[in-house]
mmCIF file of all heavy atoms in Angstrom:
data_model
loop_
_atom_site.group_PDB
_atom_site.id
_atom_site.type_symbol
_atom_site.label_atom_id
_atom_site.label_comp_id
_atom_site.label_asym_id
_atom_site.label_seq_id
_atom_site.Cartn_x
_atom_site.Cartn_y
_atom_site.Cartn_z
ATOM 1 N N LYS A 24 -2.624 29.911 -14.280
ATOM 2 C CA LYS A 24 -3.612 30.290 -15.293
ATOM 3 C C LYS A 24 -5.005 30.448 -14.698
ATOM 4 O O LYS A 24 -5.981 30.701 -15.407
ATOM 5 C CB LYS A 24 -3.640 29.234 -16.408
ATOM 6 C CG LYS A 24 -2.339 29.145 -17.176
ATOM 7 C CD LYS A 24 -2.436 28.090 -18.282
ATOM 8 C CE LYS A 24 -1.132 27.990 -19.071
ATOM 9 N NZ LYS A 24 -1.219 26.942 -20.124
ATOM 10 N N GLY A 25 -5.124 30.232 -13.383
ATOM 11 C CA GLY A 25 -6.424 30.338 -12.728
ATOM 12 C C GLY A 25 -7.263 29.093 -12.797
ATOM 13 O O GLY A 25 -8.434 29.121 -12.438
ATOM 14 N N THR A 26 -6.669 27.977 -13.247
ATOM 15 C CA THR A 26 -7.403 26.711 -13.329
ATOM 16 C C THR A 26 -7.289 25.963 -11.997
ATOM 17 O O THR A 26 -6.181 25.831 -11.467
ATOM 18 C CB THR A 26 -6.860 25.843 -14.456
ATOM 19 O OG1 THR A 26 -6.912 26.579 -15.673
ATOM 20 C CG2 THR A 26 -7.637 24.543 -14.579
ATOM 21 N N PRO A 27 -8.408 25.465 -11.442
ATOM 22 C CA PRO A 27 -8.288 24.700 -10.192
ATOM 23 C C PRO A 27 -7.367 23.490 -10.365
ATOM 24 O O PRO A 27 -7.387 22.812 -11.369
ATOM 25 C CB PRO A 27 -9.747 24.241 -9.945
ATOM 26 C CG PRO A 27 -10.592 25.265 -10.649
ATOM 27 C CD PRO A 27 -9.800 25.641 -11.880
ATOM 28 N N LYS A 28 -6.541 23.258 -9.346
ATOM 29 C CA LYS A 28 -5.616 22.118 -9.415
ATOM 30 C C LYS A 28 -6.329 20.794 -9.317
ATOM 31 O O LYS A 28 -5.780 19.759 -9.717
ATOM 32 C CB LYS A 28 -4.572 22.250 -8.280
ATOM 33 C CG LYS A 28 -3.608 23.403 -8.437
ATOM 34 C CD LYS A 28 -2.623 23.413 -7.268
ATOM 35 C CE LYS A 28 -1.654 24.561 -7.387
ATOM 36 N NZ LYS A 28 -0.691 24.603 -6.241
ATOM 37 N N THR A 29 -7.507 20.793 -8.759
ATOM 38 C CA THR A 29 -8.287 19.555 -8.667
ATOM 39 C C THR A 29 -9.781 19.898 -8.853
ATOM 40 O O THR A 29 -10.218 20.991 -8.495
ATOM 41 C CB THR A 29 -8.076 18.848 -7.321
ATOM 42 O OG1 THR A 29 -8.937 17.698 -7.245
ATOM 43 C CG2 THR A 29 -8.415 19.769 -6.157
ATOM 44 N N GLU A 30 -10.519 18.943 -9.415
ATOM 45 C CA GLU A 30 -11.964 19.122 -9.533
ATOM 46 C C GLU A 30 -12.656 18.687 -8.270
ATOM 47 O O GLU A 30 -13.864 18.883 -8.112
ATOM 48 C CB GLU A 30 -12.483 18.332 -10.728
ATOM 49 C CG GLU A 30 -12.010 18.833 -12.080
ATOM 50 C CD GLU A 30 -12.572 18.027 -13.230
ATOM 51 O OE1 GLU A 30 -13.333 17.060 -12.979
ATOM 52 O OE2 GLU A 30 -12.285 18.375 -14.386
ATOM 53 N N ASP A 31 -11.932 18.052 -7.339
ATOM 54 C CA ASP A 31 -12.528 17.624 -6.080
ATOM 55 C C ASP A 31 -12.878 18.833 -5.230
ATOM 56 O O ASP A 31 -12.304 19.899 -5.349
ATOM 57 C CB ASP A 31 -11.580 16.685 -5.321
ATOM 58 C CG ASP A 31 -11.407 15.350 -6.013
ATOM 59 O OD1 ASP A 31 -12.380 14.879 -6.606
ATOM 60 O OD2 ASP A 31 -10.288 14.789 -5.978
ATOM 61 N N THR A 32 -13.846 18.643 -4.362
ATOM 62 C CA THR A 32 -14.370 19.713 -3.535
ATOM 63 C C THR A 32 -14.188 19.404 -2.059
ATOM 64 O O THR A 32 -13.883 18.274 -1.683
ATOM 65 C CB THR A 32 -15.869 19.880 -3.820
ATOM 66 O OG1 THR A 32 -16.512 18.596 -3.675
ATOM 67 C CG2 THR A 32 -16.091 20.394 -5.239
ATOM 68 N N ILE A 33 -14.360 20.425 -1.227
ATOM 69 C CA ILE A 33 -14.512 20.201 0.202
ATOM 70 C C ILE A 33 -15.980 19.908 0.440
ATOM 71 O O ILE A 33 -16.834 20.770 0.154
ATOM 72 C CB ILE A 33 -14.054 21.398 1.036
ATOM 73 C CG1 ILE A 33 -12.578 21.726 0.751
ATOM 74 C CG2 ILE A 33 -14.279 21.156 2.512
ATOM 75 C CD1 ILE A 33 -12.074 23.003 1.426
ATOM 76 N N ASP A 34 -16.287 18.702 0.891
ATOM 77 C CA ASP A 34 -17.674 18.261 0.994
ATOM 78 C C ASP A 34 -18.140 18.241 2.457
ATOM 79 O O ASP A 34 -17.401 17.796 3.338
ATOM 80 C CB ASP A 34 -17.832 16.843 0.424
ATOM 81 C CG ASP A 34 -17.547 16.806 -1.084
ATOM 82 O OD1 ASP A 34 -17.654 17.861 -1.725
ATOM 83 O OD2 ASP A 34 -17.183 15.722 -1.582
ATOM 84 N N PHE A 35 -19.341 18.705 2.670
ATOM 85 C CA PHE A 35 -19.990 18.586 3.981
ATOM 86 C C PHE A 35 -20.984 17.436 3.889
ATOM 87 O O PHE A 35 -21.882 17.436 3.057
ATOM 88 C CB PHE A 35 -20.655 19.900 4.356
ATOM 89 C CG PHE A 35 -19.653 20.964 4.734
ATOM 90 C CD1 PHE A 35 -18.961 21.663 3.775
ATOM 91 C CD2 PHE A 35 -19.370 21.228 6.077
ATOM 92 C CE1 PHE A 35 -18.007 22.610 4.094
ATOM 93 C CE2 PHE A 35 -18.427 22.177 6.412
ATOM 94 C CZ PHE A 35 -17.728 22.863 5.427
ATOM 95 N N VAL A 36 -20.780 16.450 4.742
ATOM 96 C CA VAL A 36 -21.381 15.131 4.553
ATOM 97 C C VAL A 36 -22.174 14.708 5.775
ATOM 98 O O VAL A 36 -21.719 14.845 6.909
ATOM 99 C CB VAL A 36 -20.273 14.082 4.280
ATOM 100 C CG1 VAL A 36 -20.867 12.686 4.114
ATOM 101 C CG2 VAL A 36 -19.481 14.455 3.035
ATOM 102 N N ASP A 37 -23.377 14.187 5.520
ATOM 103 C CA ASP A 37 -24.120 13.482 6.549
ATOM 104 C C ASP A 37 -23.763 12.007 6.389
ATOM 105 O O ASP A 37 -24.219 11.330 5.472
ATOM 106 C CB ASP A 37 -25.635 13.685 6.334
ATOM 107 C CG ASP A 37 -26.469 12.992 7.395
ATOM 108 O OD1 ASP A 37 -25.912 12.185 8.171
ATOM 109 O OD2 ASP A 37 -27.691 13.226 7.460
ATOM 110 N N SER A 38 -22.952 11.479 7.282
ATOM 111 C CA SER A 38 -22.402 10.139 7.127
ATOM 112 C C SER A 38 -23.458 9.055 7.369
ATOM 113 O O SER A 38 -23.213 7.885 7.092
ATOM 114 C CB SER A 38 -21.235 9.902 8.077
ATOM 115 O OG SER A 38 -21.657 10.063 9.415
ATOM 116 N N ASP A 39 -24.614 9.447 7.869
ATOM 117 C CA ASP A 39 -25.692 8.440 8.071
ATOM 118 C C ASP A 39 -26.447 8.172 6.795
ATOM 119 O O ASP A 39 -27.294 7.271 6.767
ATOM 120 C CB ASP A 39 -26.663 8.929 9.167
ATOM 121 C CG ASP A 39 -26.004 8.900 10.534
ATOM 122 O OD1 ASP A 39 -25.098 8.105 10.739
ATOM 123 O OD2 ASP A 39 -26.420 9.710 11.390
ATOM 124 N N GLU A 40 -26.213 8.980 5.770
ATOM 125 C CA GLU A 40 -26.940 8.810 4.516
ATOM 126 C C GLU A 40 -26.016 8.261 3.445
ATOM 127 O O GLU A 40 -24.850 8.634 3.353
ATOM 128 C CB GLU A 40 -27.472 10.190 4.060
ATOM 129 C CG GLU A 40 -28.454 10.834 5.019
ATOM 130 C CD GLU A 40 -29.749 10.045 5.126
ATOM 131 O OE1 GLU A 40 -30.164 9.463 4.109
ATOM 132 O OE2 GLU A 40 -30.340 10.013 6.213
ATOM 133 N N GLN A 41 -26.543 7.337 2.630
ATOM 134 C CA GLN A 41 -25.725 6.756 1.551
ATOM 135 C C GLN A 41 -25.301 7.828 0.567
ATOM 136 O O GLN A 41 -24.182 7.811 0.068
ATOM 137 C CB GLN A 41 -26.550 5.673 0.836
ATOM 138 C CG GLN A 41 -25.800 5.006 -0.325
ATOM 139 C CD GLN A 41 -24.569 4.222 0.094
ATOM 140 O OE1 GLN A 41 -24.466 3.842 1.278
ATOM 141 N NE2 GLN A 41 -23.637 4.012 -0.812
ATOM 142 N N GLU A 42 -26.196 8.747 0.242
ATOM 143 C CA GLU A 42 -25.848 9.870 -0.624
ATOM 144 C C GLU A 42 -25.923 11.132 0.230
ATOM 145 O O GLU A 42 -26.881 11.882 0.179
ATOM 146 C CB GLU A 42 -26.772 9.946 -1.811
ATOM 147 C CG GLU A 42 -26.595 8.734 -2.741
ATOM 148 C CD GLU A 42 -27.388 8.865 -4.033
ATOM 149 O OE1 GLU A 42 -28.168 9.823 -4.149
ATOM 150 O OE2 GLU A 42 -27.209 8.014 -4.909
ATOM 151 N N GLY A 43 -24.897 11.301 1.052
ATOM 152 C CA GLY A 43 -24.995 12.281 2.136
ATOM 153 C C GLY A 43 -24.280 13.590 1.950
ATOM 154 O O GLY A 43 -24.123 14.349 2.893
ATOM 155 N N ILE A 44 -23.785 13.869 0.716
ATOM 156 C CA ILE A 44 -23.102 15.149 0.505
ATOM 157 C C ILE A 44 -24.161 16.251 0.433
ATOM 158 O O ILE A 44 -25.040 16.228 -0.401
ATOM 159 C CB ILE A 44 -22.259 15.119 -0.780
ATOM 160 C CG1 ILE A 44 -21.172 14.071 -0.676
ATOM 161 C CG2 ILE A 44 -21.653 16.499 -1.032
ATOM 162 C CD1 ILE A 44 -20.314 13.964 -1.931
ATOM 163 N N LEU A 45 -24.034 17.214 1.308
ATOM 164 C CA LEU A 45 -25.006 18.292 1.404
ATOM 165 C C LEU A 45 -24.520 19.566 0.769
ATOM 166 O O LEU A 45 -25.285 20.276 0.116
ATOM 167 C CB LEU A 45 -25.323 18.572 2.888
ATOM 168 C CG LEU A 45 -25.771 17.336 3.705
ATOM 169 C CD1 LEU A 45 -25.944 17.736 5.156
ATOM 170 C CD2 LEU A 45 -27.049 16.747 3.145
ATOM 171 N N ILE A 46 -23.258 19.903 0.972
ATOM 172 C CA ILE A 46 -22.699 21.148 0.451
ATOM 173 C C ILE A 46 -21.292 20.842 -0.092
ATOM 174 O O ILE A 46 -20.561 20.065 0.509
ATOM 175 C CB ILE A 46 -22.610 22.207 1.573
ATOM 176 C CG1 ILE A 46 -23.998 22.647 2.019
ATOM 177 C CG2 ILE A 46 -21.772 23.424 1.120
ATOM 178 C CD1 ILE A 46 -24.005 23.501 3.248
ATOM 179 N N GLN A 47 -20.959 21.433 -1.234
ATOM 180 C CA GLN A 47 -19.651 21.241 -1.824
ATOM 181 C C GLN A 47 -19.001 22.573 -2.102
ATOM 182 O O GLN A 47 -19.606 23.456 -2.676
ATOM 183 C CB GLN A 47 -19.778 20.440 -3.123
ATOM 184 C CG GLN A 47 -20.324 19.014 -2.937
ATOM 185 C CD GLN A 47 -20.492 18.303 -4.270
ATOM 186 O OE1 GLN A 47 -21.399 18.630 -5.014
ATOM 187 N NE2 GLN A 47 -19.618 17.366 -4.556
ATOM 188 N N ILE A 48 -17.739 22.697 -1.684
ATOM 189 C CA ILE A 48 -16.972 23.925 -1.914
ATOM 190 C C ILE A 48 -15.886 23.609 -2.933
ATOM 191 O O ILE A 48 -14.986 22.822 -2.666
ATOM 192 C CB ILE A 48 -16.343 24.431 -0.598
ATOM 193 C CG1 ILE A 48 -17.444 24.774 0.416
ATOM 194 C CG2 ILE A 48 -15.472 25.650 -0.865
ATOM 195 C CD1 ILE A 48 -16.917 25.122 1.759
ATOM 196 N N PRO A 49 -15.957 24.223 -4.119
ATOM 197 C CA PRO A 49 -14.932 23.962 -5.134
ATOM 198 C C PRO A 49 -13.597 24.653 -4.784
ATOM 199 O O PRO A 49 -13.522 25.481 -3.891
ATOM 200 C CB PRO A 49 -15.542 24.589 -6.396
ATOM 201 C CG PRO A 49 -16.448 25.640 -5.897
ATOM 202 C CD PRO A 49 -16.986 25.151 -4.588
ATOM 203 N N SER A 50 -12.549 24.245 -5.475
ATOM 204 C CA SER A 50 -11.210 24.797 -5.268
ATOM 205 C C SER A 50 -11.126 26.182 -5.914
ATOM 206 O O SER A 50 -11.086 26.286 -7.143
ATOM 207 C CB SER A 50 -10.160 23.871 -5.837
ATOM 208 O OG SER A 50 -10.149 22.639 -5.172
ATOM 209 N N ARG A 51 -11.103 27.232 -5.118
ATOM 210 C CA ARG A 51 -11.010 28.597 -5.624
ATOM 211 C C ARG A 51 -10.164 29.438 -4.667
ATOM 212 O O ARG A 51 -10.341 29.359 -3.443
ATOM 213 C CB ARG A 51 -12.395 29.254 -5.745
ATOM 214 C CG ARG A 51 -13.322 28.565 -6.751
ATOM 215 C CD ARG A 51 -12.876 28.813 -8.181
ATOM 216 N NE ARG A 51 -13.870 28.323 -9.133
ATOM 217 C CZ ARG A 51 -13.936 27.068 -9.573
ATOM 218 N NH1 ARG A 51 -13.077 26.172 -9.098
ATOM 219 N NH2 ARG A 51 -14.868 26.676 -10.429
ATOM 220 N N ASP A 52 -9.284 30.213 -5.206
ATOM 221 C CA ASP A 52 -8.454 31.119 -4.396
ATOM 222 C C ASP A 52 -9.259 32.351 -3.971
ATOM 223 O O ASP A 52 -10.102 32.844 -4.717
ATOM 224 C CB ASP A 52 -7.223 31.577 -5.186
ATOM 225 C CG ASP A 52 -6.211 30.452 -5.348
ATOM 226 O OD1 ASP A 52 -6.197 29.524 -4.519
ATOM 227 O OD2 ASP A 52 -5.447 30.511 -6.330
#
């Protein structure tokens, strides 16, 4: 139906930061 199987994203993370997610890629074909 075109609905993403998960709401989770591929995240690009700076692990030195507590809130380190910089870029998020959603699930899309």
Side-chain angles (χ1 to χ4, degrees):
K24 296 180 180 179
T26 304
K28 292 181 180 179
T29 177
E30 294 181 359
D31 291 326
T32 53
I33 301 175
D34 296 336
F35 287 79
V36 178
D37 181 350
S38 61
D39 290 332
E40 298 293 326
Q41 179 64 22
E42 295 187 352
I44 298 178
L45 306 176
I46 293 170
Q47 297 177 287
I48 299 174
S50 296
R51 297 289 187 275
D52 289 334

